[in-house]
Amino acid sequence: SSDAVTGWIDQLAHKNQQAAEQLWQHVAVRLQDFAAQRLGVQTRRHYDEQDAANSAFHSLCLGLSEGRLEAENRDALWGLLAVITTRKISAQQRYLNRQKRGGGAVQ
């Protein structure tokens, strides 16, 4: 499985859509679980673990295909996904807590 993941990563760098789909099937559940652990109650009302996982995976694929990101193996891939997901969630929390958005007071 490690070789398959490494192969999909290499193929993603060449914009292979099938590799992206296979990699998504491989990481989706784990990534959504990871995001769910980091989402607060207030944020989850507007942005759930599926949103975070989808957005992070999309950013990863885009970064790999544009050459802005590199992942040599499955561990490096997971590290990138963890960082991207955490940052997506933090950005969403900041967005929702801005004063002009009600400062987190959702009714």
Side-chain angles (χ1 to χ4, degrees):
S1 180
S2 181
D3 290 337
V5 172
T6 304
W8 295 331
I9 294 168
D10 291 340
Q11 292 172 19
L12 270 178
H14 296 96
K15 302 179 182 182
N16 184 321
Q17 182 66 31
Q18 186 177 9
E21 291 171 12
Q22 290 172 318
L23 191 57
W24 173 249
Q25 294 300 316
H26 184 74
V27 301
V29 172
R30 183 177 176 199
L31 187 57
Q32 288 175 11
D33 289 345
F34 178 82
Q37 294 172 6
R38 280 150 181 77
L39 280 167
V41 174
Q42 293 284 27
T43 307
R44 189 168 285 163
R45 292 179 184 172
H46 300 279
Y47 189 76
D48 66 11
E49 58 271 9
Q50 291 176 341
D51 296 327
N54 287 336
S55 180
F57 189 77
H58 176 76
S59 293
L60 174 86
C61 290
L62 195 60
L64 288 172
S65 68
E66 292 177 351
R68 291 182 289 115
L69 299 175
E70 289 183 20
E72 304 81 37
N73 56 40
R74 68 184 319 154
D75 294 331
L77 175 79
W78 181 251
L80 281 172
L81 280 171
V83 169
I84 293 168
T85 304
T86 300
R87 289 181 181 174
K88 294 274 185 185
I89 291 169
S90 294
Q92 195 61 228
Q93 289 169 338
R94 283 191 308 276
Y95 175 78
L96 292 172
N97 287 328
R98 286 190 185 133
Q99 194 63 26
K100 67 182 181 181
R101 305 258 179 255
V106 176
Q107 295 185 7

